[in-house]
Amino acid sequence: MALKWADVLDIAIELADSKSDVDPRYVNFVELHRWVVELPDFADDPKRGGEKVLEAIQAAWIDEAK
């Protein structure tokens, strides 16, 4: 399944699995953006990953990590 920026929850789940040793509350957006784009299933324009979508991904990842 190809991930797009709109797939916030799916991206958060992938990050929770692949970065299980990371506390998502302390990840900066530059690093978060890089990690999303580097996900094996990610297939969207990296330039579309703005602050609002990164905030949503981070919030979903925090929920997923609980």
Side-chain angles (χ1 to χ4, degrees), residues 31-43:
E31 198 165 38
L32 180 58
H33 185 278
R34 182 172 48 85
W35 288 346
V36 171
V37 172
E38 289 175 350
L39 288 171
D41 294 334
F42 186 77

